[in-house]
Amino acid sequence: MINNISAILKDACEKLGYNPKEIVVSFSNIPTLCDYQSNFCFALAKELKMSPFAVAESIVKQIGENKEFNFVAAMPGYINVSLKDETFSKLANGLLADEKCGVKEHTKKLNVVMDYGGANIAKELHVGHLCSPIIGESLKRLYKLFGHNVISDAHLGDWGLQMGLTILQLHEDGYLDYYFTGKGTEPNITLDILNIAYPKASAKKSVDPEFKAKADAYTKHIQDKDEPYFTVYKKIRELSVKTIEGLYKELGATFDLWYGESSCDEYTDLVVDMFVKKGLARESDGALVVDVAREGEHIPIPKQNPDDEQLYKNPMPPAVIKKYNGGDLYATTDIATIYMRNKDYKNLDEILYCTDSRQKLHFEQVFRCCKMVGISPENQLLTHVGFGTMKGKDGKPFKTREGTTVKLDDVVNLLVEKSSEKLKSNGLEPTRDLALKIGIGAMKYGALSNFVTKDYVFDIDKFLSFDGKTGPYIQYMVARINSILDKADTKAGQIFVQDADEKNILIGILKLNLAYETCYKEKSLNSLCTAAFDLASAFSTFYNSHKILTEPDMAKKQSYLGLISLVKKALVQAMWTLGIDCPERM
Ligand code: ARG
């Protein structure tokens, strides 16, 4: 629509000999007055030394009668555009017949790897791990909707110090004698055992340097695939992955690849060598570092004490690509993984990461390294989507009442429990599956409604409300449409758009379709959340003012049914993009 309107305006300007720099057409601020508006006459008037209104009038006069739109010049110099009823009707029937409800695929199809999820083996998943699978999954779906090829990789944290710490702790606690001495029987290492081992080791590491050095050595043994370290490691990885997979599935996040930091192992030495050979790496305290600072940025000088002022404005520390003991670091595996991805997939246009924003510097360093050494081709996009922190209602990082971190499966159970209560109070007897769909949907919508980089408040009661801007509200509207369509004694037919409520629905869908583009540009799903809610509300208004099932005029009834089918299709697609299922009934 916007393109059609701009083209007509441009054509009229050409005929008049006007040469506007830019014709921006946007949705109307006053929907009761018109559907679209443009204010380009103001800038144009300055050039033409005319009044903006006179310019607008001349353009409208030039356009004359148009088949699809009404153009009106409005004081002090706007051009207001309204769609004719037939235009709305044609649009509505076209959108309903269109597979993607009017969302146009991008002409250039990109090959993309998306790296999200990123759970760490051996560490229990907690509430902080919610955002990456949720945001990453919806970005993947958004890209797919636009026709791009996306490969998703869970990129598990399975190669770092936490592995050495966990195995050392298990060893000290006597669980690994079978592997280390060959005596006794094979132990049954359970999740519960792991969940105790890591936090215990992690706490010890901070106060006991000897323990930390030992854990470093264990980590190195794992990375060198020494036995029995590597066998134990593989067992722990397998056990953890099963649990992680189960949890991600409940969250609706699915992955093509279950790779991890360890998967690029065969390339780490090769990649480090590339930096050495090209003279890009230097030794620093036994470690190998790459200077990635550019002009105007500085390698920070460590502060003598915490109260000292930072010496430089733009600190950019070097990337450490080899540890003092030769072990791999987070940066090493990330650089080698980019190398591997480019080897595995030809012509990768973009690699996108979704982690919390505290990893911004890490990715900046990794990306710069890959560009410097030529691992990532010049025109390949390396994108880091960094999200904000989840806060409790008190504005502090979300914790249990006892002040400990909230475990992820506890969050899921809480969501199921609360949504069950809610559904029961609405007179339903929900299955776990239904309660899960509503609970997870509520939480996802709550998380995604926020602009991605901002911190947000995790407020289950607010998220689960059936009225207000929430996931369940939209799910509820879809369920209501389902029930009307079921009860109707006739099928959806040709849509005739006539009154303001109907037009409002169509505008809602056009705005929704524009929101997909905004989300793609911003790598944030909040605009889609808002637009889906606005469309659901427009449907609600229409529903309250129209008797659909008892409408005596058959053609009108069929038109109404067509219109609400369209709303359903558009809402279900938007919710799918957000990773939220819409249940048939609720
Ligand atoms: N495991 C990491 C963490 O817990 C996230 C992994 C993100 N992806 C990556 N390629 N670094 O912070």
Side-chain angles (χ1 to χ4, degrees):
M1 280 304 148
I2 289 184
N3 291 345
N4 295 353
I5 295 168
S6 314
I8 296 169
L9 292 169
K10 192 164 168 246
D11 183 59
C13 285
E14 262 166 32
K15 287 189 178 133
L16 287 164
Y18 298 167
N19 200 2
K21 278 199 191 66
E22 194 181 22
I23 300 181
V24 179
V25 175
S26 53
F27 284 104
S28 163
N29 290 335
I30 314 172
T32 46
L33 200 64
C34 57
D35 303 314
Y36 290 95
Q37 63 188 38
S38 183
N39 60 4
F40 75 102
C41 295
F42 292 96
L44 188 58
K46 276 200 191 118
E47 261 172 55
L48 297 170
K49 303 208 167 41
M50 287 164 70
S51 84
F53 185 68
V55 176
E57 260 194 321
S58 66
I59 294 171
V60 168
K61 197 165 157 231
Q62 174 63 40
I63 294 171
E65 185 57 29
N66 180 280
K67 275 207 302 267
E68 295 179 288
F69 310 101
N70 292 320
F71 290 86
V72 176
M75 278 302 262
Y78 294 101
I79 296 185
N80 292 346
V81 190
S82 311
L83 274 61
K84 294 193 171 170
D85 288 2
E86 306 83 70
T87 312
F88 268 122
S89 302
K90 205 173 139 205
L91 174 73
N93 292 303
L95 289 174
L96 183 57
D98 185 66
E99 200 194 330
K100 292 188 174 176
C101 231
V103 174
K104 296 264 175 305
E105 290 198 354
H106 291 169
T107 20
K108 184 173 172 353
K109 304 280 186 284
L110 304 181
N111 295 315
V112 185
V113 168
M114 286 203 186
D115 177 319
Y116 61 93
N120 296 319
I121 304 286
K123 287 195 210 173
E124 203 163 17
L125 285 166
H126 60 77
V127 70
H129 295 115
L130 266 176
C131 288
S132 180
I134 291 176
I135 299 170
E137 180 69 23
S138 53
L139 285 172
K140 175 180 79 184
R141 292 176 183 218
L142 180 68
Y143 271 59
K144 285 193 169 182
L145 189 68
F146 281 131
H148 302 301
N149 303 313
V150 186
I151 293 147
S152 52
D153 178 7
H155 200 83
L156 304 169
D158 61 357
W159 212 224
L161 179 61
Q162 91 269 17
M163 299 307 309
L165 282 168
T166 306
I167 294 179
L168 172 59
Q169 189 62 55
L170 291 176
H171 195 180
E172 289 201 345
D173 289 347
Y175 287 108
L176 304 180
D177 292 349
Y178 170 81
Y179 300 104
F180 278 86
T181 65
K183 289 193 194 108
T185 50
E186 193 168 355
N188 177 23
I189 300 169
T190 60
L191 267 185
D192 289 338
I193 297 176
L194 285 187
N195 291 342
I196 295 171
Y198 174 72
K200 196 168 158 190
S202 175
K204 210 175 332 168
K205 162 198 87 176
S206 325
V207 291
D208 182 349
E210 216 173 288
F211 185 80
K212 160 80 169 49
K214 220 169 161 189
D216 275 343
Y218 269 53
T219 310
K220 182 82 170 57
H221 280 311
I222 301 164
Q223 295 179 349
D224 290 341
K225 303 203 168 95
D226 294 339
E227 290 302 345
Y229 305 89
F230 198 58
T231 298
V232 176
Y233 162 78
K234 278 192 290 189
K235 289 214 179 296
I236 295 176
R237 189 184 196 279
E238 205 181 313
L239 178 67
S240 273
V241 170
K242 261 195 215 130
T243 322
I244 294 167
E245 234 175 316
L247 269 167
Y248 279 173
K249 212 165 156 200
E250 297 227 293
L251 293 178
T254 54
F255 297 92
D256 301 307
L257 304 172
W258 284 89
Y259 288 170
E261 291 163 3
S262 68
S263 309
C264 62
D265 178 47
E266 58 176 307
Y267 303 118
T268 47
D269 289 346
L270 185 152
V271 158
V272 169
D273 240 28
M274 288 170 80
F275 287 94
V276 176
K277 284 214 182 92
K278 292 203 174 178
L280 293 168
R282 66 174 165 90
E283 215 208 277
S284 168
D285 292 334
L288 212 51
V289 304
V290 179
D291 290 311
V292 291
R294 294 181 187 147
E295 222 181 288
E297 296 171 339
H298 303 274
I299 298 172
I301 295 169
K303 296 180 191 175
Q304 296 301 320
N305 68 72
D307 300 330
D308 285 353
E309 263 194 51
Q310 186 71 48
L311 276 175
Y312 299 117
K313 263 220 178 92
N314 299 311
M316 178 52 74
V320 189
I321 59 169
K322 259 294 153 202
K323 220 171 163 156
Y324 69 92
N325 68 355
D328 299 331
L329 287 132
Y330 192 38
T332 328
T333 57
D334 263 330
I335 295 167
T337 302
I338 294 180
Y339 178 85
M340 178 177 79
R341 286 173 179 157
N342 276 300
K343 214 165 159 349
D344 290 351
Y345 305 103
K346 292 283 155 264
N347 307 319
L348 269 187
D349 298 288
E350 182 171 14
I351 306 177
L352 184 147
Y353 298 81
C354 190
T355 75
D356 87 57
S357 51
R358 282 170 297 189
Q359 295 197 28
K360 191 166 182 264
L361 177 65
H362 163 75
F363 282 106
E364 185 59 34
Q365 292 178 312
V366 165
F367 295 170
R368 288 186 186 194
C369 282
C370 289
K371 294 292 181 195
M372 280 164 79
V373 83
I375 284 174
S376 164
E378 221 173 293
N379 56 358
Q380 178 171 75
L381 283 172
L382 297 174
T383 313
H384 175 231
V385 177
F387 48 80
T389 314
M390 185 190 288
K391 300 259 159 88
K393 275 195 231 176
D394 54 1
K396 297 201 187 110
F398 196 71
K399 291 266 160 77
T400 60
R401 220 167 282 162
E402 294 76 37
T404 55
T405 40
V406 185
K407 291 189 272 174
L408 192 54
D409 47 0
D410 288 344
V411 178
V412 173
N413 291 335
L414 184 66
L415 286 163
V416 170
E417 195 184 301
K418 290 238 175 187
S419 74
S420 283
E421 276 169 25
K422 205 70 209 214
L423 289 163
K424 274 185 195 145
S425 69
N426 273 22
L428 273 163
E429 200 44 61
T431 57
R432 183 175 192 276
D433 187 49
L434 179 65
L436 187 72
K437 275 186 187 164
I438 308 293
I440 297 288
M443 187 264 300
K444 283 189 169 189
Y445 188 92
L448 293 169
S449 326
N450 201 50
F451 189 75
V452 67
T453 52
K454 282 203 187 140
D455 294 346
Y456 80 99
V457 176
F458 187 79
D459 183 343
I460 292 194
D461 296 314
K462 193 175 133 207
F463 292 172
L464 264 172
S465 161
F466 279 20
D467 40 43
K469 193 185 163 191
T470 67
Y473 173 78
I474 301 172
Q475 288 170 317
Y476 189 57
M477 289 304 152
V478 172
R480 174 169 282 174
I481 295 175
N482 285 333
S483 112
I484 302 171
L485 292 172
D486 274 0
K487 280 190 199 135
D489 55 1
T490 179
K491 289 221 156 17
Q494 191 77 8
I495 307 171
F496 304 98
V497 180
Q498 279 157 339
D499 67 36
D501 290 341
E502 294 171 306
K503 289 180 186 173
N504 204 21
I505 285 180
L506 264 302
I507 294 290
I509 295 176
L510 292 173
K511 285 189 177 170
L512 185 69
N513 288 354
L514 191 67
Y516 288 103
E517 290 291 350
T518 310
C519 294
Y520 183 80
K521 273 188 217 120
E522 297 181 339
K523 310 288 178 234
S524 174
L525 275 304
N526 60 309
S527 307
L528 191 63
C529 290
T530 303
F533 169 70
D534 289 344
L535 175 60
S537 310
F539 160 75
S540 175
T541 307
F542 167 80
Y543 173 78
N544 289 328
S545 57
H546 293 69
K547 301 254 170 303
I548 304 173
L549 292 172
T550 52
E551 170 59 49
D553 179 337
M554 205 40 137
K556 221 173 190 181
K557 190 196 271 188
Q558 289 176 340
S559 166
Y560 289 163
L561 293 173
L563 186 65
I564 64 170
S565 303
L566 173 59
V567 172
K568 172 185 164 182
K569 194 170 166 181
L571 286 180
V572 169
Q573 176 166 271
M575 294 293 263
W576 174 85
T577 309
L578 298 173
I580 303 174
D581 282 331
C582 289
E584 271 300 302
R585 292 269 175 279
M586 62 184 274

